[in-house]
Amino acid sequence: MPSTNQSIVVNQSIQTVWDAIKDFHDMSWSANVITKCDPVGAKPGNEPGAQRVLNDAFHETLIEVNGDNHLIRYSIDNGPSPVSPDDVSNYVGEIRLTSEGDNTTLVEWSSSWDSTSEDAVAFCQGIYVALLGDLAGSLN
């Protein structure tokens, strides 16, 4: 099962970081990577089952949002190669926050999926590094 895991330390409290990312329909903290975030359906962005389309390409569904554990889990349901349904299945991404002091938060972004190819590893790693950089930049 291929996977990827990236992290960054943000010089903000865990609550500040959580407030920025907890709404699945709000990607305004990543304007350099996500140019368009369209909610799909009527579910709010803090409710499992909420869906979105990012940059007219990535169709995603919120699996879990847990404010107590500062955790978001989501699936990629459709997207371009190498994360298309022809390339991967059972794609699950996870964002986890861990407090490392009053004003320091570790943000970990990981994902795993089923595939016979490793092509999505570098693709996802590059995107997550850019997203994490945007998050830190928007909050610092």
Side-chain angles (χ1 to χ4, degrees), residues 12 16 24 26 32 35 43 45-46 52-53 56 67-68 78 82 85 96-97 110 114-115 119 121 124 128:
Q12 293 291 337
T16 298
F24 194 63
D26 180 5
N32 293 313
T35 57
K43 288 196 183 228
N46 62 353
R52 68 185 180 194
V53 179
D56 292 325
D68 293 334
N78 200 349
R96 180 181 299 273
L97 307 182
S110 62
D114 295 323
S115 179
D119 292 348
V121 173
C124 292
Y128 294 156

Side-chain angles (χ1 to χ4, degrees), residues 8-139:
I8 195 166
V9 173
V10 177
N11 295 319
Q12 293 291 337
S13 71
I14 195 168
Q15 191 60 50
T16 298
V17 179
W18 180 250
D19 287 344
I21 69 164
K22 68 183 177 183
D23 183 349
F24 194 63
H25 292 155
D26 180 5
M27 296 289 293
S28 60
W29 51 267
S30 184
N32 293 313
V33 180
I34 305 301
T35 57
K36 190 173 182 186
C37 178
D38 292 321
V40 176
K43 288 196 183 228
N46 62 353
E47 186 177 315
Q51 295 182 315
R52 68 185 180 194
V53 179
L54 301 177
N55 295 347
D56 292 325
F58 299 91
H59 299 252
E60 301 179 340
T61 301
L62 182 62
I63 298 170
E64 178 183 1
V65 58
N66 185 319
D68 293 334
N69 293 323
H70 303 100
L71 170 74
I72 294 171
R73 291 180 62 236
Y74 65 95
S75 63
I76 293 182
D77 309 315
N78 200 349
S81 186
V83 295
S84 75
D86 292 335
D87 299 306
V88 303
S89 60
N90 302 315
Y91 186 105
V92 175
E94 180 177 294
I95 306 167
R96 180 181 299 273
L97 307 182
T98 306
S99 177
E100 295 202 330
D102 288 342
N103 286 307
T104 308
T105 302
L106 174 66
V107 182
E108 297 175 279
W109 201 319
S110 62
S111 57
S112 62
W113 56 90
D114 295 323
S115 179
T116 58
S117 169
E118 295 283 326
D119 292 348
V121 173
F123 178 79
C124 292
Q125 186 172 6
I127 290 173
Y128 294 156
V129 166
L131 288 166
L132 289 169
D134 265 7
L135 177 62
S138 73
L139 295 175

